[in-house]
Amino acid sequence: MEELSALQQGYYYLSKHQFDEAKRSFEQLVKGECEDAHPYIGLLLAETGLVSEGQLADLPKTLESYPLFMKGLANAKGTYREGLLEIRAKQNLRLLKKEELYLELQREMTAELSTKEACTRLLGMVTELRGYKKSEEIGAQIKVRLEEIESAERA
C-alpha cells in the first residue's frame, strides 16, 4: 500500500468498503487548505458509506447541505467539475420527484384508508421514498391501519 498516494489509498479503501480507512486517508489530505477536489469528495463518500461519486445523487439531503461537497466543488476543475455539477442536477431532480411523491402520499393519507389495496399501494410509495422526510412515520401508521383491516376481516 505504501506505493500508492494517500488519494489512491483512499479510493482503494472505498472500493473495498473500508470506510474508516478511506476516511483516514482523505483526512490526511484535507488538513489545512487543500486545493484538490478529490480528497473532499472522497471524504464525503467515506462519511456517507458510498463508493463512487455517482452515488452522491442518492443522498437524502441536497448536496449543497454537505460542506465537503461544496469544498470539493469549489476546488474542482474541468470535466471533474462538470461531472459534479451533473450529479448535483441529477440529485436535485430526484429530490424534486421525491417531494412530489411525498406530497401525493400526504394527500392520500387524508383520504380514508379502508381497503388493503389502498394501504398496500401507499406502503409502496413509502418504500419508494426510502426515509424521505417523515415517510417512515407515515409508513408505520399505514401498517397499523392495514393490521386493523386484516384483523376485522379475520373476525
Side-chain angles (χ1 to χ4, degrees):
M1 216 22 122
E2 293 176 24
E3 66 278 355
L4 297 178
S5 71
L7 183 64
Q8 290 169 325
Q9 286 179 16
Y11 278 99
Y12 170 80
Y13 288 129
L14 284 178
S15 74
K16 300 296 183 187
H17 298 265
Q18 296 175 357
F19 301 111
D20 290 337
E21 291 297 325
K23 189 176 174 184
R24 279 192 275 285
S25 294
F26 294 124
E27 283 174 339
Q28 290 176 16
L29 297 167
V30 299
K31 288 180 182 171
E33 286 301 312
C34 177
E35 293 185 16
D36 183 8
H38 293 87
Y40 293 109
I41 300 302
L43 185 54
L44 175 59
L45 293 171
E47 287 183 353
T48 55
L50 304 175
V51 296
S52 71
E53 284 90 348
Q55 293 176 305
L56 292 170
D58 297 327
L59 288 173
K61 299 186 302 184
T62 64
L63 289 172
E64 289 85 355
S65 67
Y66 295 92
L68 288 169
F69 180 82
M70 296 310 292
K71 284 183 180 182
L73 184 60
N75 289 297
K77 308 219 181 337
T79 56
Y80 191 65
R81 179 176 177 77
E82 290 171 15
L84 291 177
L85 290 171
E86 189 175 308
I87 290 166
R88 184 175 69 177
K90 185 177 182 180
Q91 192 221 28
N92 286 340
L93 183 60
R94 283 185 183 174
L95 289 176
L96 180 61
K97 288 180 180 179
K98 280 191 174 192
E99 182 65 18
E100 290 171 356
L101 184 60
Y102 183 74
L103 292 173
E104 181 182 346
L105 177 63
Q106 287 184 312
R107 281 191 301 273
E108 294 288 329
M109 281 297 294
T110 60
E112 184 179 342
L113 294 176
S114 58
T115 66
K116 286 184 357 181
E117 293 77 19
C119 291
T120 302
R121 185 174 58 77
L122 292 179
L123 283 174
M125 292 169 72
V126 168
T127 300
E128 196 173 332
L129 287 167
R130 281 182 243 138
Y132 184 75
K133 292 191 175 181
K134 294 184 179 185
S135 60
E136 298 298 323
E137 292 175 26
I138 294 171
Q141 293 171 4
I142 296 168
K143 286 177 184 176
V144 167
R145 180 63 185 132
L146 183 59
E147 290 172 10
E148 291 171 354
I149 293 169
E150 289 172 342
S151 291
E153 286 178 352
R154 286 190 296 270

